Amino acid sequence: MSAAGANRIAGAGRLTPANTVRFTFDGKSYTGLQGDTLASALIANDVHLVGRSFKYHRPRGILSAGPEEPSALVGVRRDASRHTPNIRATVQEIHDGLDAVSQNRWPSLTFDIGALNDIGSPMFSAGFYYKTFMWPKAAWKHIYEPVIRNAAGLGVAPKEADPDNYAARYVHCDVLVIGGGVAGLTAALSAAESGARVILCDENAHPGGALRFEGEARLDGMAGHDWAVQAAGRLAAMDNVRLLTRTTAFGYYAQNFVGLVERVTDHLAAPEPDMPRERVWQVRAGKVIIAAGAIERHMVFANNDRPGIMLASAARTYLNHYGVAVGRKVGVYTANDSAYGAAFDLKRAGADIPAIVDLRDEPDAGLVEEAGVLGIRVLTGHAVTGAGGKLRVASMSVEPKKGGRTEVIPVDALIMSAGWTPSVHMFSQSRGKVAWDEETGRFLPGTYAQECASIGACNGTDGLEATVNEALAVGEAAAKAAHPKAKKPSVAISVGSAGKWAGGMVGAGPGAEAGKVVKAFVDFQNDVTAKDIRLAVQEGMHSIEHVKRFTTNGMATDQGKLSNLHGLAIAAEALDKPIPKVGLTTFRPPYTPTTFGAIVNHARGKIFDPMRRTPMHAAEAAAGAVFEDVGQWKRAWYYPRAGEDMHAAVNRECRTVREVAGMFDASTLGKIEVVGPDAAKFLNILYTNPFLKLGVGRLRYGIMCREDGFIYDDGVVGRLAEDRFHVTTTTGGAPRVLHHMEDYLQTEFPDLKVWLTSTSEQWAVIAVQGPKAREIVEPFVEGIDLSNEAFPHMSVAEGTVCGVPARVFRMSFTGEAGYEINVPADYGRMVWDAIYERGAPMGMCLYGTETMHVLRAEKGYIIVGQDTDGTVTPHDAGLSWAIGKKKTDFVGVRGLKRPDLVAEGRRQLVGLKVKDGKSVLEEGAQIVDNPKQAIPMKMIGWVSSSYWSENCGAPIAMALVENGHNRMGETLYVPMPDGVIEVEVCGTVFFDEEGGRLHG
């Protein structure tokens, strides 16, 4: 007995009796010990009822001692603003002031109105919602959906903003070891002593794994847990090792990228204010060693969910690590050797073990003999067919598995073990293929897809000595893979005795067979019974993935860690198929529930979607710019003067650019440096245009297609040297174009000597366009002759502007003579101010994106994503001239030859003249060729760009129209709410069709 709980055993466990902690559960105060989990502290205080189940609201207790816990989910409050629902009591460490509450019950945990669902359970069998809520159809939105949404979930989501901080780290290592049990510790020691950079993560507060409860294990002449503490200390002292406790590997992604989440302060009563609550580690490892162990399975029998019924390994953990007995009269039900160790430990600690019920006919004789010596009755060939009690288990009903007299044995706790399931979750997440081992009846790692290895129990390795030898070899091999000249590790581990874990079963046990109307639970969190699994098969679900969705087995927050194999076995039995033929559900990240805070991290509030500003933003704001959001960029939309609305400002800006000059901030354009001896060859493959013979100092407009032949992006490419190109992309296309290039360079053309660098943020870009553009910028430019003869349209040169190194591009997106001046971003504001100070007295204006759109539309220049929709080819867009006539290969060349892409009737980009001369069409408006046809009308196209053009004195528009290139001069119609607007199909160039203004 102890002040820290009536079930605390004096002298047992590894916690210090003097370190007491006060906490509350459902408003009642309790005492625990520092190092307790909420689960162990509650059991110490003889509290087993901790929650209610999701569907039936049945009383639920603590089933496990680890992250696989499906039932003991609680809400945890640190203060008024910190409430986290659905915390596993088996993982949450207690601290002074911890306030936990049960969930999914009203008005109280012991008396819950929702338990009426249990009485009406025949109405709520698997799949009932698919059949019940389909009629009447109108009732779904107004009746069914609100009720279901109110009933959904277990805990209540917090309404307050999350006040906690979260952190993230990016690290590389030679070897990442997932799991800190004997296998993980041994492999980490072996790899680390060979000189490899090692990260070892373990989800518990202290490494040790099964050694926390396995009291018989001996390593290097000491108790197993003592050895684990010493091994962890050795690793922590090594400079090439990072030991992460309270850290779960939650996701295994491509190229050995593994996500870890570390619980930093959840176990502290008063953490420092600047400490993060959790930290996400994003690890790229040369080799991943998975040492995730195995998960004990429960037995499937009637009422196996009563509080006080738990896994044998959990009971042993609570006793040997936390010093807590799970009951005073503990029944044991097993099909596995390891449960005997739990029974023996409890017996020696003073608990009464009225019987060990072993489903097997001939368990290990030595274990049966030892039980006899301890005075424990063993019933072989027997089964527990039901549990008595309600808010806590009170008895177990036992009978011979082949039929016979039922014996009711009083108990206040019942521990069970159906065997052990290798934890192949992380292996499966790596895209590895598991294989069914018929001899042992379990799925094991089979075909590997990444540089990883599984060791220990998760690899099906049985026995302590075999596990240690395997881990030593794999750790050494991983180090040598990273460093071929790695030294041989000096670590050697002698192995003594260990407990026995042989045997096991999957599926429903006696008393829960087909035809029995009992609640024998397979999935505790979602209230899925053996009967539900069989019903799913009866209803025609023959794939385990269908069974999963029909019953929700394995779809809860525990991801079926306990239930999946049982559900699979029951379905296989009902289908009369071998288990492998039924299939296995997919294991997906996260391995255990991960908070949104950890995932979102710093990306909250103002930096949820980070705002990007150009180097000239402050100057534009001072000039009165109205900004618009373009992706993450703030871009100047227009510059209104006193008394001007948007339309008046844009009209003025459009006239000024055509008549004098305008200055525009083009810094947001994507910019990619393509460098290397094969740079021209690479661009020649990526773009439809020819680039091999592009001269140094020249520019070329380029179209980039996908493999299917559709336009992906466009931009201007400048050749600065034989082996260096400056590539521009659309503002929104910068990241995807770089990704597109990298993808082809790494996967299709790895032999090309090319290097790609994003320089979008390096250069500030100032575009000066208009008849006086050269006169305005020429005084600031040194080292470049800007005359038409020396520097014609589509030229590029490097020199200085305002004394700053610069790249000057003679190009235009307005159709006027223009110069795009690229200077280092830090000097952008200075150069901008200098040019504006000279240009303003000459009549130059600043103009924004809206004016830019109008000016480019006047010239028929497209915007990818506005005048294209992912189904437009260069020919559709009127850009056939941009496809190299002599090119035999480029990305998209085969796609462009597909019959559908050269067929008649494709939607093609055309211009539209509005016949009334005043109506500005709505972008996205549909187009028809006969306005008098019946509704629904046949749409033949849509308006992609539409503006009032002050320079043309009329509205202008571009549209994608079926067979548009052959409809020139034809009248089409745009139906609008206020009437039908007549338009005439024309070319896409509305201003300066000959293009003479480009040359000044």
Side-chain angles (χ1 to χ4, degrees), residues 300-316:
V300 181
F301 59 92
N303 296 326
N304 60 340
D305 63 331
R306 295 301 188 207
I309 301 178
M310 68 179 63
L311 300 174
S313 60
R316 207 174 185 193

Side-chain angles (χ1 to χ4, degrees), residues 371-395:
V373 171
L374 290 172
I376 301 174
R377 178 187 176 201
V378 179
L379 299 172
T380 61
H382 279 64
V384 174
T385 57
K390 187 175 180 182
L391 298 182
R392 180 171 177 176
V393 63
S395 64

Side-chain angles (χ1 to χ4, degrees), residues 179-181 185 200 202 204-209 211-212 225 228-229 232 243-245:
L185 289 168
L200 171 66
D202 189 80
N204 294 301
H206 306 284
L211 297 176
R212 295 198 309 157
H225 188 268
V229 171
L243 181 62
L244 297 175
T245 57

